[in-house]
Amino acid sequence: MVLEVKNVSKVFGGLRAVHEASFQVKENSITGLIGPNGAGKSTLFNCIAGYYPPSAGEIFFKQEKTSGFTADEIAKRGLARTFQTPQGFAQMTVMENLMVVPKGQVGEKPWQGLINGKKVKEQEEEIRKKAFKLLADFGLSEQKNDLIANLSAGEARIVEIARQLMLDPEVLLLDEPAAGINPALQNHLIQVLLKLRQQGLTLLIVDHNLGFISSLCDYIYVLHLGQIIAEGTPQEIFRNPRVVEVYLGGIA
Amino acid sequence: MAGIVVLMGIYTMLALALNLRFGTAGLIDLGVVGFFAIGAYSYVILTAPAPGTADAYMFGFHLPMFIGFVGSGLISAFFAFLVGLPAIRLKGEYLAIATYAFAEVIQYLFTNEKWLTNGVKGFIGIEQPFRKFFVSANSYQYFYAFLIVLAVACFWYILSRLERSPFGRTLKAIRENEDAARAAGKDIERFKMWAFVIGAAIIGFAGSFYVWFTSLVVPSLFVSEVTWVAWIALTIGGTGNYKGMILGAAIIVGIQEATRFLQASAELATILAASRFIAMGLILVLIIRFKPKGILPERNTVN
Amino acid sequence: MDYIPYLVSGLVTGTILLLGTVGFSLVKRIENFLNIAHGQVLTLGAYLGYTFNVKLGWNIYLAFLAATLITTVVGWLIFKVFYQPIRSHGNLYLLFTSVGVAYIIHGVIEAFYGVQAKTYSVPVSKVLEINGIPIISGTEAAVIVLALGSAFGLHLFLTRTLTGKAIRAMASNLSLANARGIDTEKIASVAWLLSSALGAMAGIFSGMIGTVYTDMGWAVILLILSAAVLGGLGSLYGVMIGAMIIGLSMDLSVIILPSSYRPAVAFAMVIVVLLFRPQGILGGEGH
């Protein structure tokens, strides 16, 4: 298990957003976390990524306890996330957005950046190549010099995924990746995600859109009112009466 | 004339430092004058001769000028580090108020702690660098203006290199979006701290240059107007654009000097002095209204 | 016993500061920026009070009314001319515009009145003494009563009238207020009028107690910022308590610290509060 969430709770003021949720993500799987709006998905997601400290419970990433770590420490360990509304460095180009990310950049130390020695230059070249290749894979080569602020919502989402891949993550957490993207781009996104899995990446996808998630996931957890109420393969989930009641019933 | 160049240069240094803190790293810092004062006093205390009988200060280390200069930057940076330890995580306006309050406390300390600063009497007759090579004060003036231009060029070079380095790129990313920067694995407090500390070092060095220019140090030189002047220079010139900062500094010094040189009757002199404030306020208000990105806006870099 | 005069003067400072800070916070809540020029509004009120009271020889209370009225209108005009057109630029631009406005007002006042400090002609009032120790003067008592009365009047206005309730709604959530069909432009105007009126009063009161000088706007905005942070930036009732704490601690600090450190005590408190409780002592309302 690359990611284990054990009895995690999160309370805001008096509000219990997540209550003793436990689940696991297997290496190289695509795992889904679904639930209707307000189920606590995003809260749980933010606990895993280190944006909120959990009120109780523990989270393990690669057998290391990461609950209590800051978001950047978790990201550096190889757990990359995206946001529900894509977040980027708006007044910087697509290329710059990607080049910011890699860990251990020597030139990030001010004196090294100032001297701009051989090591820094070599590393910059490497990073540039890597970013260029990623953008090509995602079909975004032409936009490399565009400002993030000028991208469409769909492009911004794909750039965000590409940017987070610059971390060389082992697990990628995606928060409603299909939201606000047209069907053509959605298909493209599905192809991209399946290919990433083939390359060895583990994906955890949070969504309330069952259609998108069921075509991708090997295993799904259902969150309702802050608690995990069901788990199984997509087929099992669709047949689970509890899920049908609280989730599908709620939508119909 | 030489004096105008010197003042312009010093304001440009402050604006350059502020640009690193605010323009690149997004820190709203209203405590510029605090670090300026720390730099100036550090230089003076390190280089001053031992106190005379009429003096209240206890320390005058009489060290070489060069050490005083290096000390002014380092000590200012060190204080920025101390202030930053708790303050750097404060958001936007809270950091602004904390730094503003810090600068005021510094002014009160320097006014009142006579054992350190000689109080309102301050230090006078401060020796100037390379002065002995010049016969007249007048010819030295021009040399000093040249020295200031050289120093500004140096800071310009250093800061523009920093800004284009991966370090500057990460700072910009943090300015643009802190959440995304965290998701990219950046320890944003550490980067902000660097910007804060490097900015303070430059402001501290500017303090030394200012001391050589005025040849005296008294607490009343270090009022919040200095902070606002730096901000006004940065804002009207154009945040993120170095030429803009020089232009902004030139405009401010122009306003200050224009109202100073037109000497008139005592009554008129008061009005002229007051019109300096009005002109400074008006230009700031008008630029923000009609050219909010400054006269020379930042260009977006393209790789 | 001998600390009582300090306590009284702290109460006076606190109540004056309270009026200034509430006006500042009103703008902070409605427009969401730090209005650095608010200190100059106080100064303007104080100088206009001087004109009516000393130059024209009016009774202090008449002068008070006239100066407050004019400052209120000027404050509102400043909002219309300088702030309203650049609202869409964002709050940092508003902040720096207010710095520009502060310099303009400062310059205009200095050009008109010169740099010499001014004093009001307030009739020498009886001083209440206990055991031969002067406790409180009539002017001080009047200032405390009037300032607290105004604060209470503001409270009634905010809680009892429709406009007042709309201001509070807008202060707590702008978009929600918009959605509820509140005429936010009208309410913003009222807020600016109120803010300037309260500022003018605070300025005139400090003129009645002490002297009026051109730099007072810069000195007072720092105290206002301190009180505002202490009470939780923008929370209207929190800052009232923040202002009292600042006023009292400044004037009581004189007992143990050199009096030249009096204002520094306020700033030091701000730094401490920001470090340990950035949401303010009573914060929670504003995030």
Side-chain angles (χ1 to χ4, degrees):
Chain A
M1 291 300 159
V2 64
L3 180 68
E4 287 175 90
V5 174
K6 289 184 178 164
N7 298 317
V8 165
S9 299
K10 180 69 192 171
V11 184
F12 292 107
L15 193 80
R16 214 171 59 187
V18 176
H19 185 60
E20 297 189 350
S22 299
F23 69 92
Q24 292 115 33
V25 176
K26 225 192 268 169
E27 274 98 351
N28 203 16
S29 71
I30 302 186
T31 304
L33 183 65
I34 62 166
N37 280 323
K41 301 181 302 275
S42 281
T43 306
L44 189 50
F45 191 95
N46 278 316
C47 287
I48 296 170
Y51 280 72
Y52 303 146
S55 310
E58 292 172 323
I59 298 163
F60 293 86
F61 175 58
K62 291 191 288 185
Q63 276 70 53
E64 183 184 17
K65 187 178 159 200
T66 53
S67 39
F69 284 15
T70 57
D72 55 286
E73 287 170 330
I74 292 174
K76 268 186 275 196
R77 280 175 169 71
L79 189 78
R81 72 164 296 178
T82 64
F83 292 84
Q84 210 165 30
T85 39
Q87 302 289 318
F89 312 120
Q91 295 303 321
M92 295 166 74
T93 65
V94 170
M95 196 67 180
E96 284 176 314
N97 264 262
L98 266 65
M99 290 184 68
V100 163
V101 176
K103 305 169 265 195
Q105 295 187 42
V106 180
E108 275 188 335
K109 295 200 168 67
W111 61 93
Q112 296 275 13
L114 185 64
I115 296 162
N116 193 20
K118 193 166 157 235
K119 184 113 190 262
V120 176
K121 281 185 184 139
E122 279 174 9
Q123 217 179 22
E124 279 287 275
E125 218 27 67
E126 249 168 62
I127 293 170
R128 193 187 308 276
K129 270 188 200 142
K130 186 172 161 190
F132 202 77
K133 183 167 178 304
L134 258 175
L135 288 177
D137 286 353
F138 283 72
L140 283 165
S141 301
E142 284 183 17
Q143 282 94 334
K144 74 177 161 65
N145 290 334
D146 291 357
L147 294 183
I148 295 292
N150 300 338
L151 297 180
S152 73
E155 285 170 338
R157 195 174 288 284
I158 298 199
V159 169
E160 186 181 40
I161 293 173
R163 190 191 73 217
Q164 291 303 75
L165 289 175
M166 292 292 285
L167 274 170
D168 291 326
E170 277 154 72
V171 175
L172 184 60
L173 304 177
L174 298 160
D175 198 350
E176 305 207 2
I181 302 192
N182 65 48
L185 214 56
Q186 244 180 57
N187 270 331
H188 176 55
L189 185 63
I190 290 175
Q191 296 317 312
V192 166
L193 295 180
L194 286 172
K195 196 173 152 201
L196 288 174
R197 195 257 287 264
Q198 255 177 24
Q199 292 166 356
L201 198 68
T202 307
L203 297 163
L204 174 63
I205 304 178
V206 167
D207 216 316
H208 64 260
N209 180 348
L210 262 180
F212 180 80
I213 234 176
S214 60
S215 60
L216 268 175
C217 294
D218 321 316
Y219 205 77
I220 293 178
Y221 290 90
V222 182
L223 197 65
H224 178 58
L225 298 176
Q227 286 176 292
I228 303 279
I229 57 160
E231 60 177 282
T233 61
Q235 290 77 10
E236 286 166 348
I237 291 296
F238 279 121
R239 272 184 269 124
N240 186 319
R242 195 71 216 283
V243 177
V244 175
E245 181 196 333
V246 305
Y247 188 80
L248 299 173
I251 283 176
Chain B
M1 193 55 209
I4 292 180
V5 173
V6 171
L7 265 183
M8 251 178 70
I10 289 168
Y11 289 166
T12 306
M13 289 177 201
L14 297 182
L16 281 168
L18 201 51
N19 184 60
L20 176 69
R21 284 174 164 188
F22 172 68
T24 311
L27 300 167
I28 308 175
D29 164 32
L30 300 184
V32 174
V33 69
F35 298 105
F36 195 49
I38 290 175
Y41 273 98
S42 301
Y43 173 80
V44 170
I45 292 166
L46 287 175
T47 57
T53 45
D55 291 318
Y57 68 94
M58 284 165 60
F59 302 110
F61 294 102
H62 213 4
L63 292 165
M65 215 172 248
F66 171 73
I67 293 178
F69 177 71
V70 171
S72 69
L74 288 184
I75 293 171
S76 174
F78 176 68
F79 272 87
F81 175 71
L82 291 185
V83 172
L85 273 181
I88 208 77
R89 68 195 155 82
L90 295 173
K91 296 257 175 279
E93 290 165 331
Y94 288 95
L95 179 68
I97 297 173
T99 48
Y100 198 174
F102 161 76
E104 290 298 316
V105 171
I106 288 292
Q107 216 229 342
Y108 280 98
L109 280 174
F110 285 1
T111 308
N112 292 299
E113 299 305 316
K114 294 193 181 69
W115 60 272
L116 187 66
T117 64
N118 214 20
V120 287
K121 273 172 68 190
F123 297 84
I124 51 165
I126 290 153
E127 216 183 309
Q128 293 168 311
F130 309 110
R131 178 67 185 84
K132 59 174 183 269
F133 300 112
F134 294 86
V135 188
S136 74
N138 204 31
S139 55
Y140 179 74
Q141 255 193 3
Y142 287 96
F143 169 75
Y144 191 60
F146 170 73
L147 204 65
I148 289 276
V149 172
L150 212 64
V152 168
C154 248
F155 288 137
W156 175 317
Y157 178 72
I158 289 173
L159 286 170
S160 63
R161 270 184 86 101
L162 263 184
E163 209 177 297
R164 276 175 303 168
S165 74
F167 171 69
R169 184 169 62 206
T170 300
L171 280 182
K172 256 187 237 167
I174 291 167
R175 171 193 77 183
E176 289 296 315
N177 193 326
E178 289 195 4
D179 277 341
R182 255 195 220 108
K186 303 301 169 193
D187 183 348
I188 62 175
E189 270 85 23
R190 221 188 66 201
F191 281 96
K192 284 180 174 179
M193 182 67 115
W194 271 118
F196 195 61
V197 166
I198 296 171
I202 292 170
I203 297 170
F205 288 132
S208 276
F209 284 111
Y210 191 57
V211 166
W212 287 326
F213 173 62
T214 54
S215 81
L216 91 169
V217 175
V218 286
S220 60
L221 289 175
F222 302 100
V223 290
S224 62
E225 194 181 336
V226 176
T227 300
W228 297 124
V229 161
W231 271 103
I232 294 173
L234 184 67
T235 310
I236 62 180
T239 306
N241 185 316
Y242 292 0
K243 283 180 206 147
M245 285 164 226
I246 294 182
L247 182 66
I251 292 172
I252 299 277
V253 175
I255 290 172
Q256 291 184 343
E257 295 302 309
T259 49
R260 194 168 295 157
F261 276 130
L262 298 170
Q263 287 302 336
S265 66
E267 202 171 311
L268 209 61
T270 314
I271 294 182
L272 274 175
S275 63
R276 185 180 106 205
F277 293 125
I278 301 177
M280 230 154 70
L282 264 182
I283 192 155
L284 180 60
V285 166
L286 290 174
I287 293 285
I288 290 176
R289 173 84 174 267
F290 298 108
K291 263 190 144 329
K293 295 220 178 298
I295 300 172
L296 300 172
E298 178 180 17
R299 282 160 314 192
N300 287 305
T301 50
V302 171
N303 283 34
Chain C
M1 260 329 261
D2 43 346
Y3 61 85
I4 284 192
Y6 298 107
L7 199 65
V8 170
S9 101
L11 280 177
V12 176
T13 313
T15 43
I16 293 176
L17 192 56
L18 180 155
L19 290 185
T21 311
V22 168
F24 171 85
S25 300
L26 213 50
V27 167
K28 164 72 183 128
R29 277 320 275 264
I30 300 280
E31 305 278 2
N32 195 27
F33 77 99
L34 303 178
N35 181 13
I36 301 297
H38 193 63
Q40 308 298 331
V41 174
L42 268 79
T43 317
L44 181 65
Y47 271 97
L48 287 173
Y50 165 79
T51 299
F52 289 115
N53 176 230
V54 178
K55 290 275 175 192
L56 302 178
W58 294 10
N59 166 293
I60 181 69
Y61 295 101
L62 223 64
F64 174 82
L65 283 178
T68 303
L69 207 68
I70 296 178
T71 311
T72 304
V73 175
V74 171
W76 179 78
L77 280 175
I78 289 173
F79 154 64
K80 281 286 172 188
V81 174
F82 293 109
Y83 301 118
Q84 205 179 31
I86 60 147
R87 251 192 209 145
S88 56
H89 291 8
N91 54 7
L92 205 59
Y93 289 103
L94 283 161
L95 192 159
F96 285 117
T97 295
S98 81
V99 173
V101 170
Y103 270 114
I104 295 172
I105 302 177
H106 178 181
V108 170
I109 289 175
E110 209 169 291
F112 266 99
Y113 294 95
V115 287
Q116 212 108 67
K118 314 281 184 206
T119 40
Y120 284 14
S121 90
V122 180
V124 181
S125 55
K126 254 203 222 122
V127 175
L128 177 69
E129 287 184 14
I130 295 176
N131 294 340
I133 302 167
I135 302 294
I136 188 166
S137 75
T139 318
E140 285 176 330
V143 165
I144 292 184
V145 170
L146 283 173
L148 286 181
S150 318
F152 188 64
L154 176 75
H155 165 72
L156 289 182
F157 175 76
L158 289 176
T159 49
R160 300 288 162 84
T161 68
L162 223 55
T163 316
K165 283 178 187 166
I167 288 181
R168 276 169 53 219
M170 210 173 139
S172 60
N173 191 329
L174 184 62
S175 47
L176 197 67
N178 249 322
R180 277 193 194 147
I182 291 173
D183 181 354
T184 49
E185 277 310 319
K186 197 188 102 193
I187 298 304
S189 270
V190 176
W192 279 95
L193 284 170
L194 269 179
S195 163
S196 319
L198 292 166
M201 290 184 194
I204 302 163
F205 286 144
S206 47
M208 285 165 70
I209 296 294
T211 56
V212 178
Y213 57 101
T214 49
D215 273 342
M216 92 187 230
W218 296 107
V220 89
I221 190 61
L222 274 158
L223 296 182
I224 288 178
L225 283 169
S226 311
V229 166
L230 215 57
L233 258 191
S235 106
L236 292 182
Y237 293 97
V239 299
M240 295 193 186
I241 296 171
M244 293 310 291
I245 295 175
I246 293 275
L248 284 170
S249 50
M250 272 198 316
D251 286 340
L252 288 173
S253 76
V254 175
I255 300 173
I256 48 168
L257 286 172
S259 64
S260 48
Y261 271 122
R262 187 172 162 271
V265 169
F267 314 141
M269 281 179 74
V270 169
I271 294 174
V272 171
V273 166
L274 281 175
L275 301 190
F276 296 106
R277 238 187 112 73
Q279 72 273 42
I281 294 179
L282 304 150
E285 203 185 320
H287 300 285

